[in-house]
Amino acid sequence: MTDMDDQESVKGNDPEKVVISAALTGALTTRDQCEHIPYTPEEIAEDAAAAREAGASVAHIHARTPDGSPTFETETYEEIREAVRERTDIVVNFSTGAVGVPVEKRVAYVEETAPEMAALNMGSMNYAKYSESREEFVFDMVFENSFSEIREFVTAMNGAGVKPELECFDTGHIGNARPLVEHGDLEPPLQFSLVMGVLGGIPATVENLAHQVRQLPDDATWQVIGISRDQWPLCAAALSMGGNIRVGLEDNFYLPDGEMATNAELVEQAADLVRTVGRTPATPDEAREILSID
Amino acid sequence: MTDMDDQESVKGNDPEKVVISAALTGALTTRDQCEHIPYTPEEIAEDAAAAREAGASVAHIHARTPDGSPTFETETYEEIREAVRERTDIVVNFSTGAVGVPVEKRVAYVEETAPEMAALNMGSMNYAKYSESREEFVFDMVFENSFSEIREFVTAMNGAGVKPELECFDTGHIGNARPLVEHGDLEPPLQFSLVMGVLGGIPATVENLAHQVRQLPDDATWQVIGISRDQWPLCAAALSMGGNIRVGLEDNFYLPDGEMATNAELVEQAADLVRTVGRTPATPDEAREILSID
Amino acid sequence: MTDMDDQESVKGNDPEKVVISAALTGALTTRDQCEHIPYTPEEIAEDAAAAREAGASVAHIHARTPDGSPTFETETYEEIREAVRERTDIVVNFSTGAVGVPVEKRVAYVEETAPEMAALNMGSMNYAKYSESREEFVFDMVFENSFSEIREFVTAMNGAGVKPELECFDTGHIGNARPLVEHGDLEPPLQFSLVMGVLGGIPATVENLAHQVRQLPDDATWQVIGISRDQWPLCAAALSMGGNIRVGLEDNFYLPDGEMATNAELVEQAADLVRTVGRTPATPDEAREILSID
Amino acid sequence: MTDMDDQESVKGNDPEKVVISAALTGALTTRDQCEHIPYTPEEIAEDAAAAREAGASVAHIHARTPDGSPTFETETYEEIREAVRERTDIVVNFSTGAVGVPVEKRVAYVEETAPEMAALNMGSMNYAKYSESREEFVFDMVFENSFSEIREFVTAMNGAGVKPELECFDTGHIGNARPLVEHGDLEPPLQFSLVMGVLGGIPATVENLAHQVRQLPDDATWQVIGISRDQWPLCAAALSMGGNIRVGLEDNFYLPDGEMATNAELVEQAADLVRTVGRTPATPDEAREILSID
Ligand SMILES: [Zn+2]
Ligand SMILES: [Zn+2]
Ligand SMILES: [Zn+2]
Ligand SMILES: [Zn+2]
């Protein structure tokens, strides 16, 4: 037991075992940008198995059509779940977020496929990108997740036995969990994903990560989700604080040396980093215990 | 010069002089709830003068119709500006925020009446209220302020020589100022209002206030805006950190002892608190200098 | 219940009731500097009673000879205890710190007089003062409190049923409590005094106060001790965070308006500030309950 | 340029280039504990050269006699300086701290050998170790560094053109720099070493590291010094915040996997970690520029 094992920021995590999540696909990027992105259920399942081999214990997945467009069909999610299950014991986590897709459609596949976990976006915000070199906004959306929508998702997840992963892009999003716990919608211990570096949400700094972690209940588990080049230093900081981490092509294509990578290579690099700070990657079953998934 | 005068959190504020803003009206509450809320331009101007007498140097104003409904008519704002100017030298600051009112309408009265300052909402968020006693959500809105809307307001304010007051309800909202500065829309030194305690935004704690202040550029000025009963302790903390403060019937009806008050009484209490921490209320001209209003 | 009542920084304190300590005498200042400083047991007891009347629930006391020099005689401390007890029910708290006085002497009067509480200095540090106007160090000492000395005091206090008040001048001093708890010397819940603004210790800023509070165990009670002119803003910040506060001629002679004051006047001002943030001064019996004094 | 490059915590450091210091010897440990510790000037110089090869740009050195006892003789330090210079261009940094060795002796060798840098301990504190397994204090000292002693060192360093490395074991130690700058003793930009994890000083947590960094002037450079097993996660966190790092047998014998290592192997591991967060080790000349050593 050292000071670092014992720091407040560990919260409900395991000071030694680290849950590495692999965000295999995402919804926005394409093979034109990175040829390694898996599209079909088979491709996704192969990447899940390889990520598991490299040290990941959770696979976070968005469904795609064979041509790479995002899809929200129950059938595709069902195929993905089956294909992953055939190959590996990794925890299956489905995305639920989208701009411009009706809530019912996104609730439906969660209810019907009942993955072990599903992402739950905990508030509204601008979701934008500004290019310093081009001196213009590349995109500029409002990412809407009202309390009533959040509660629709929670109700569905509770009914289907799905563990919600609370995606928080800003400090208020963490605070939004409180009335939902008081109202009996969410049941502790909660699992938080602290997303950093999206323009419109909290900027990616270690100071801000420490601040987000301070907001969490003592028994909460948490991981950091860093976007693009800032991912590696954010992972290093989170691991030092006792956090879990997420890597994968949804968030970032590159290894620290600037090489474009596969999902498995990204997980391998993450697992190395885990060991460098004196911790070890959790197995899927250890992850289930840490995250209170039955 | 003491440690407290010299702390980082003072930022661009004056360690001695405090800008007290009086938020006289708001848009959501009515005389059924608090009989002291001013509605007409004359009533508003009388309250502005009394607030100035009690120690306020800025009047933040939402227009109302004579029956108390919110209005966004240029004519009404023009009447308010005139009525205030006849009575007192207080800095005039007009609101621009609303849910469900077209941007153009809200831009129009700012451009045409050219107040010295106007509020600028810096991001999107849920805007909700949960009642612990009733165990339900009292209201649940998405407060939308996309970057393109924010930029429409900024362009209009820049054209009309209006100083924007950047209203930030969460950490990401502060970060949203950065691309707008880089793009040349906003010009430092910036004036920030740190709004705390709205469900959907950052919770009202001193820890969170300190965090928000850490995000600000070194030359920025700032005030805290606390909602309802938490207003007084938030003001006490902000004053100790070198901040400016806002009080008034828009934010809170009550004195610390639970008595319902007028705008002038709330400002008087605030001025007392300012003196208790060893500082003094700024005059409107001192406020103009502190806030870089020409 | 509001956000502020519920913030983490409240720790083991009562969100509503505030323990005001009056540090009546100190050891270093004299009546040449402030004529209101009490010297004799009778004078001290009169001030204790007046402070109690004004809202204090704890009296922190250093003994003096009739000519004002510090003394560490059991007999004098005994007389003080008696004189206070005859007049008022305030909690009696004796100092134990000194530079250059043998530990045994300071342990002796604590053991023999068995006050309800006694101060316990939790670490070593420089204790100095620099004058900006004279551009020189006014004094420069090393304040030594090794673990073995701390443990001598703790053993004596435990034996005599005295509640230790852990005086922490820096972050490491708070950390020093940990091995003493593990070793069974100190028994939770602990009472911390966060002293700020002594050169050599942690500087007096709200940021630093928030940091010190974050270090504390969840069940710990705490008060802030601010030195000289920074006392009032530090009290305001601490009260907003759910803290208890200390005022009195040991720490500061002046009201916020710069007037030199008596102990009772300082407590009165503190009690006003308590009410301004919506809290109320605790009675001595309420203080005993909050601080776990049997 | 990313968010992480731009975070406040970078302060005066280079967001890309990292100064790795190698603390080759220390004074307290012996070859009985770790056979790789260099004792003689030749051995130390060989380790300095190997550390340089592995990515270090500064060598922090305590002199030893051939049997491993600490020594403070000018002659030995002179031999070390010469032996290092013959082999490599690494920045030479000599220790000055000790318990129970007269200041004059420690000042003398710094003045006479004029290394490029020398450590300067910035305050007093307990310096202790508690064993949880044995349930006792292993050692318990008071590490005394009064302002007058600190100023003796600074005067000598200024006279000899030696850059002081301000070793801060607690928050107050950082604050102690302020009167020394105002008095003209220390000249910015300052170089801070944030030592964490010594019992008596600030505990080793990322939260505390972030806090220490917040205290620093904007133009200050800084490195973290973590003790024993906590070193690797502290380095990971510091690198993510834009900090420099120190490793070496003075602080820690072990690689993250628990293997006992040489100085060069520790530096190699550190350099790997530097690259994993997307930064690169600075050369000695780059380090001189970053640290303002002429
Ligand atoms: Zn996703
Ligand atoms: Zn308003
Ligand atoms: Zn005292
Ligand atoms: Zn050393």
Side-chain angles (χ1 to χ4, degrees):
Chain A
M1 179 67 79
T2 72
D3 279 0
M4 301 295 280
D5 286 348
D6 201 45
Q7 50 190 339
E8 275 277 313
S9 55
V10 176
K11 299 283 179 176
N13 286 338
D14 188 308
E16 205 206 312
K17 298 281 177 184
V18 178
V19 179
I20 304 178
S21 290
L24 303 172
T25 52
L28 300 174
T29 51
T30 66
R31 284 202 187 140
D32 293 343
Q33 298 165 274
C34 170
E35 56 169 344
H36 304 304
I37 300 172
Y39 284 169
T40 67
E42 297 298 305
E43 289 165 354
I44 290 172
E46 287 295 329
D47 266 29
R52 158 70 167 110
E53 212 54 46
S57 42
V58 175
H60 169 79
I61 297 166
H62 296 240
R64 305 265 198 154
T65 61
D67 71 353
S69 335
T71 176
F72 302 89
E73 298 305 322
T74 297
E75 199 185 338
T76 314
Y77 273 105
E78 190 59 43
E79 283 171 36
I80 292 168
R81 206 175 59 82
E82 295 291 299
V84 173
R85 263 306 146 266
E86 279 164 23
R87 285 169 182 79
T88 175
D89 62 346
I90 203 164
V91 175
V92 173
N93 170 330
F94 284 165
S95 166
T96 63
V99 172
V101 180
V103 178
E104 310 80 62
K105 196 162 182 76
R106 293 180 279 140
V107 164
Y109 69 76
V110 170
E111 269 185 316
E112 290 169 39
T113 65
E116 290 176 278
M117 296 181 78
L120 179 66
N121 292 284
M122 287 298 290
S124 301
M125 61 183 292
N126 287 350
Y127 202 112
K129 184 174 179 143
Y130 178 78
S131 162
E132 285 185 45
S133 51
R134 285 148 60 189
E135 297 189 351
E136 63 179 30
F137 285 84
V138 182
F139 56 82
D140 168 24
M141 298 180 287
V142 176
F143 186 37
E144 290 194 46
N145 296 287
S146 69
F147 275 100
S148 64
E149 282 189 22
I150 295 169
R151 293 179 62 204
E152 278 188 65
F153 277 113
V154 172
T155 304
M157 291 186 197
N158 289 344
V162 176
K163 175 84 181 175
E165 170 208 357
L166 313 187
E167 297 217 359
C168 296
F169 291 72
D170 212 338
T171 306
H173 295 196
I174 298 173
N176 289 349
R178 191 173 153 187
L180 297 172
V181 169
E182 278 173 14
H183 191 260
D185 296 313
L186 291 174
E187 194 180 345
L190 305 177
Q191 155 64 4
F192 287 90
S193 287
L194 306 172
V195 191
M196 308 197 74
V198 171
L199 179 56
I202 198 165
T205 67
V206 176
E207 174 76 47
N208 284 349
L209 176 59
H211 168 75
Q212 293 291 74
V213 172
R214 283 199 292 272
Q215 309 288 316
L216 304 178
D218 284 348
D219 63 351
T221 54
W222 65 274
Q223 72 173 350
V224 77
I225 300 180
I227 305 302
S228 74
R229 210 190 113 188
D230 288 335
Q231 182 176 68
W232 296 110
L234 277 172
C235 282
L239 288 170
S240 302
M241 298 169 71
N244 297 315
I245 59 174
R246 186 174 106 176
V247 295
L249 293 171
E250 172 170 352
D251 302 329
N252 167 42
F253 302 151
Y254 305 101
L255 293 170
D257 63 6
E259 289 282 308
M260 203 172 265
T262 63
N263 276 309
E265 287 163 350
L266 293 166
V267 173
E268 225 164 277
Q269 172 67 68
D272 265 2
L273 186 50
V274 165
R275 286 182 287 261
T276 301
V277 303
R279 302 174 69 192
T280 49
T283 63
D285 277 347
E286 288 167 340
R288 284 180 181 92
E289 197 176 324
I290 293 168
L291 304 176
S292 302
I293 298 172
D294 354 80
Chain B
M1 180 67 81
T2 72
D3 279 359
M4 301 296 279
D5 287 348
D6 202 47
Q7 51 190 336
E8 274 278 313
S9 56
V10 176
K11 299 282 180 176
N13 286 338
D14 187 307
E16 204 205 311
K17 299 282 177 182
V18 178
V19 179
I20 303 177
S21 290
L24 303 172
T25 51
L28 300 175
T29 52
T30 66
R31 284 202 187 138
D32 292 345
Q33 297 165 272
C34 170
E35 56 169 344
H36 303 304
I37 299 172
Y39 284 170
T40 67
E42 297 298 304
E43 289 166 355
I44 290 171
E46 287 296 328
D47 265 30
R52 158 66 168 112
E53 213 54 45
S57 42
V58 175
H60 169 79
I61 297 166
H62 295 239
R64 304 267 199 152
T65 61
D67 72 351
S69 333
T71 178
F72 302 89
E73 298 305 322
T74 298
E75 199 184 337
T76 314
Y77 273 105
E78 189 60 42
E79 281 171 35
I80 292 169
R81 203 175 60 83
E82 294 291 299
V84 173
R85 263 302 150 268
E86 278 165 23
R87 283 166 181 81
T88 175
D89 62 346
I90 203 164
V91 175
V92 173
N93 170 330
F94 285 164
S95 165
T96 62
V99 172
V101 180
V103 179
E104 311 80 60
K105 196 160 183 78
R106 294 180 280 139
V107 164
Y109 69 76
V110 171
E111 267 184 317
E112 290 169 38
T113 64
E116 290 176 276
M117 295 180 79
L120 179 66
N121 292 286
M122 288 297 291
S124 301
M125 61 183 291
N126 287 351
Y127 201 112
K129 185 174 177 141
Y130 178 77
S131 163
E132 284 184 44
S133 51
R134 286 149 60 189
E135 296 188 352
E136 64 180 29
F137 286 83
V138 182
F139 56 84
D140 169 23
M141 298 180 288
V142 176
F143 186 37
E144 290 195 46
N145 297 285
S146 68
F147 275 102
S148 64
E149 281 188 23
I150 294 169
R151 291 179 63 204
E152 277 188 64
F153 277 114
V154 173
T155 304
M157 291 187 197
N158 287 344
V162 176
K163 175 83 181 177
E165 171 209 356
L166 313 186
E167 298 217 0
C168 297
F169 291 72
D170 213 336
T171 305
H173 295 195
I174 297 173
N176 288 349
R178 190 173 154 188
L180 297 172
V181 169
E182 277 173 13
H183 191 260
D185 296 314
L186 291 174
E187 195 180 345
L190 305 177
Q191 156 63 5
F192 287 89
S193 287
L194 306 171
V195 191
M196 307 195 75
V198 171
L199 179 56
I202 196 165
T205 68
V206 176
E207 175 76 47
N208 284 348
L209 177 57
H211 168 74
Q212 293 291 72
V213 172
R214 281 199 293 272
Q215 310 286 317
L216 303 178
D218 285 347
D219 63 351
T221 55
W222 65 274
Q223 71 174 350
V224 77
I225 299 180
I227 306 302
S228 75
R229 211 192 112 188
D230 288 334
Q231 181 175 68
W232 296 111
L234 276 174
C235 282
L239 288 169
S240 303
M241 296 169 74
N244 297 315
I245 58 175
R246 185 173 108 174
V247 295
L249 294 171
E250 174 170 351
D251 302 329
N252 166 43
F253 303 150
Y254 304 100
L255 292 170
D257 64 6
E259 288 283 306
M260 203 173 264
T262 63
N263 276 310
E265 287 163 351
L266 292 166
V267 172
E268 227 164 274
Q269 172 68 68
D272 265 3
L273 185 51
V274 164
R275 285 182 289 262
T276 301
V277 301
R279 301 174 70 192
T280 50
T283 63
D285 279 347
E286 289 168 339
R288 285 180 181 94
E289 198 176 323
I290 293 167
L291 303 176
S292 302
I293 298 172
D294 357 80
Chain C
M1 181 66 79
T2 73
D3 279 359
M4 300 295 281
D5 286 347
D6 201 46
Q7 50 190 337
E8 275 276 313
S9 56
V10 175
K11 300 282 178 176
N13 286 338
D14 188 306
E16 205 206 312
K17 299 281 177 183
V18 178
V19 179
I20 303 178
S21 290
L24 302 172
T25 51
L28 299 175
T29 52
T30 66
R31 284 203 187 139
D32 293 344
Q33 297 165 273
C34 171
E35 56 170 343
H36 303 303
I37 299 171
Y39 285 169
T40 67
E42 297 298 304
E43 289 166 354
I44 290 170
E46 287 295 328
D47 265 31
R52 157 70 167 109
E53 213 53 46
S57 42
V58 175
H60 169 79
I61 296 167
H62 296 240
R64 304 265 199 156
T65 62
D67 71 351
S69 332
T71 179
F72 302 89
E73 298 304 323
T74 297
E75 199 185 338
T76 314
Y77 273 105
E78 190 60 43
E79 282 172 36
I80 292 168
R81 207 175 56 83
E82 295 292 298
V84 173
R85 262 307 147 266
E86 278 165 26
R87 285 168 181 82
T88 175
D89 62 347
I90 203 164
V91 175
V92 174
N93 171 329
F94 284 164
S95 166
T96 62
V99 172
V101 179
V103 177
E104 312 78 61
K105 197 161 182 76
R106 293 180 278 139
V107 163
Y109 69 77
V110 170
E111 268 186 317
E112 290 169 38
T113 64
E116 291 175 277
M117 295 181 79
L120 179 66
N121 292 285
M122 289 296 291
S124 301
M125 61 182 295
N126 287 350
Y127 202 111
K129 184 175 176 141
Y130 177 77
S131 163
E132 285 186 43
S133 50
R134 287 150 58 188
E135 297 187 350
E136 64 179 29
F137 286 83
V138 182
F139 56 83
D140 168 24
M141 298 180 288
V142 177
F143 187 36
E144 290 194 46
N145 296 286
S146 67
F147 275 101
S148 65
E149 282 190 24
I150 295 170
R151 292 179 61 204
E152 278 190 64
F153 277 113
V154 173
T155 304
M157 291 186 197
N158 288 344
V162 176
K163 175 82 183 179
E165 170 209 356
L166 312 187
E167 297 217 1
C168 297
F169 291 74
D170 212 338
T171 305
H173 296 197
I174 298 173
N176 289 348
R178 189 173 154 188
L180 297 171
V181 169
E182 278 173 13
H183 191 259
D185 298 313
L186 291 174
E187 196 180 344
L190 306 177
Q191 155 64 7
F192 287 90
S193 286
L194 307 172
V195 191
M196 307 195 75
V198 172
L199 179 56
I202 196 165
T205 67
V206 175
E207 174 77 45
N208 284 348
L209 177 57
H211 167 74
Q212 293 291 74
V213 173
R214 282 199 293 270
Q215 309 288 317
L216 304 177
D218 284 348
D219 63 351
T221 55
W222 64 275
Q223 71 174 349
V224 78
I225 299 180
I227 306 301
S228 75
R229 211 190 113 189
D230 288 334
Q231 183 176 67
W232 296 111
L234 276 173
C235 282
L239 288 169
S240 302
M241 296 168 73
N244 297 316
I245 58 175
R246 186 174 108 175
V247 295
L249 293 172
E250 173 171 351
D251 302 329
N252 166 42
F253 303 152
Y254 305 100
L255 293 170
D257 63 6
E259 290 280 309
M260 201 173 266
T262 62
N263 275 310
E265 287 163 350
L266 292 166
V267 173
E268 225 163 276
Q269 171 68 67
D272 266 4
L273 185 51
V274 164
R275 287 181 287 262
T276 301
V277 302
R279 302 175 68 194
T280 50
T283 63
D285 278 346
E286 288 168 339
R288 285 181 182 91
E289 198 177 323
I290 293 167
L291 304 176
S292 302
I293 298 172
D294 355 82
Chain D
M1 180 67 80
T2 71
D3 278 359
M4 300 295 279
D5 287 346
D6 202 45
Q7 53 189 337
E8 275 278 312
S9 56
V10 176
K11 299 283 178 174
N13 286 339
D14 188 308
E16 204 205 312
K17 299 280 177 182
V18 178
V19 180
I20 303 178
S21 290
L24 303 173
T25 51
L28 300 174
T29 52
T30 67
R31 285 204 186 137
D32 291 344
Q33 299 165 273
C34 170
E35 56 169 344
H36 304 303
I37 299 173
Y39 285 169
T40 66
E42 296 299 304
E43 289 166 355
I44 290 171
E46 288 295 329
D47 266 30
R52 158 69 168 110
E53 213 53 46
S57 42
V58 175
H60 168 81
I61 297 166
H62 296 240
R64 305 265 198 155
T65 61
D67 72 352
S69 335
T71 178
F72 303 89
E73 297 306 320
T74 298
E75 200 184 336
T76 314
Y77 273 105
E78 189 61 42
E79 282 171 35
I80 293 169
R81 206 175 56 83
E82 295 292 299
V84 173
R85 263 305 146 267
E86 278 164 25
R87 285 168 181 79
T88 173
D89 62 346
I90 203 165
V91 175
V92 173
N93 171 330
F94 283 165
S95 166
T96 63
V99 172
V101 180
V103 178
E104 310 81 60
K105 198 161 182 77
R106 292 179 280 138
V107 163
Y109 68 78
V110 170
E111 267 186 316
E112 291 168 37
T113 64
E116 290 175 277
M117 295 181 79
L120 179 66
N121 292 285
M122 289 296 291
S124 301
M125 61 182 294
N126 288 350
Y127 201 112
K129 184 173 176 142
Y130 178 77
S131 163
E132 284 184 45
S133 50
R134 287 149 58 190
E135 297 188 352
E136 64 181 29
F137 285 84
V138 182
F139 56 84
D140 168 25
M141 298 179 287
V142 177
F143 186 36
E144 290 194 47
N145 297 286
S146 69
F147 275 101
S148 64
E149 282 189 21
I150 295 169
R151 290 179 63 204
E152 277 189 65
F153 277 114
V154 173
T155 305
M157 291 186 197
N158 287 344
V162 176
K163 176 83 183 178
E165 171 208 355
L166 313 186
E167 297 217 0
C168 296
F169 290 74
D170 212 337
T171 306
H173 295 196
I174 298 173
N176 289 349
R178 189 173 154 188
L180 297 172
V181 169
E182 277 173 12
H183 191 260
D185 296 314
L186 290 174
E187 195 179 345
L190 305 177
Q191 156 65 4
F192 287 90
S193 286
L194 307 172
V195 191
M196 308 196 74
V198 172
L199 179 57
I202 197 165
T205 67
V206 176
E207 175 76 47
N208 284 349
L209 177 58
H211 168 74
Q212 292 292 71
V213 172
R214 282 199 292 272
Q215 309 287 317
L216 305 177
D218 285 347
D219 62 352
T221 55
W222 64 274
Q223 73 174 349
V224 79
I225 299 180
I227 306 302
S228 76
R229 211 191 110 191
D230 288 334
Q231 182 176 68
W232 296 111
L234 277 174
C235 282
L239 288 169
S240 303
M241 297 169 73
N244 297 315
I245 59 174
R246 186 173 109 176
V247 295
L249 294 172
E250 174 171 351
D251 303 329
N252 166 43
F253 303 150
Y254 304 99
L255 292 171
D257 63 6
E259 289 282 307
M260 201 172 268
T262 62
N263 276 309
E265 286 164 351
L266 293 166
V267 172
E268 226 164 276
Q269 171 68 68
D272 266 3
L273 185 50
V274 164
R275 286 181 288 262
T276 301
V277 302
R279 301 175 69 193
T280 50
T283 64
D285 278 346
E286 289 168 340
R288 286 181 181 92
E289 198 177 324
I290 293 167
L291 304 175
S292 303
I293 298 173
D294 357 82

